[in-house]
Amino acid sequence: MQALEKWLARVLLLNSGLALAVSLGLLGAASPTGDLMLHAVALLGFLAGVLSLRRSRFGLWGGMLYYSVQLISYFPHGDGPAFSVKAGVSLGVVMRFASATVVLNAFALVLLAATLAVLWRRRQQPAAAQ
């Protein structure tokens, strides 16, 4: 299970590192300065990745939060509030409805499920075995 934890930590670090580089304008055009949510989520993911590499439980919880925020994007047709955090790699399933478009990030869903499995497994193990 430690190999899966290391792999998840590396993927989180790479994914959030790319998001941080894009949000700061190091890769491509810089995101709008008012998009503080993107910067915060990318930084959270990067710090969670570093903590996960050190086998900290807080790193796994941070990774869960990082993937949870980017799991669903909502774009209304016409006027109305939209919600979307495009931080890191996104492979989505697009669902078009009469009033809005909803995007489910399948990549974030898979990594969120894997992180949950690692946390569940850690919870089941005795403290001495960790």
Side-chain angles (χ1 to χ4, degrees):
M1 197 63 160
Q2 284 185 356
L4 177 63
E5 284 185 52
K6 283 183 182 180
W7 183 84
L8 281 173
R10 289 175 183 151
V11 168
L12 176 61
L13 196 59
L14 177 66
N15 194 7
S16 60
L18 286 172
L20 197 57
V22 168
S23 71
L24 295 175
L26 300 174
L27 296 173
S31 66
T33 56
D35 198 4
L36 233 41
M37 177 89 161
L38 177 63
H39 298 301
V41 168
L43 187 59
L44 167 75
F46 192 79
L47 292 174
V50 170
L51 288 173
S52 290
L53 279 177
R54 300 183 62 120
R55 294 196 33 88
S56 170
R57 190 177 303 250
F58 294 115
L60 292 172
W61 284 104
M64 281 185 39
L65 184 59
Y66 174 75
Y67 291 124
S68 296
V69 170
Q70 57 180 312
L71 191 59
I72 294 180
S73 299
Y74 175 79
F75 305 98
H77 300 162
D79 293 334
F83 175 77
S84 142
V85 176
K86 298 175 190 105
V89 177
S90 177
L91 299 172
V93 176
V94 179
M95 297 170 279
R96 288 181 174 39
F97 299 104
S99 61
T101 300
V102 177
V103 179
L104 175 67
N105 186 345
F107 186 74
L109 182 64
V110 168
L111 290 173
L112 180 64
T115 305
L116 273 170
V118 167
L119 274 172
W120 180 262
R121 178 71 182 221
R122 271 194 176 185
R123 196 182 106 178
Q124 300 299 325
Q125 292 176 345
Q130 292 182 8

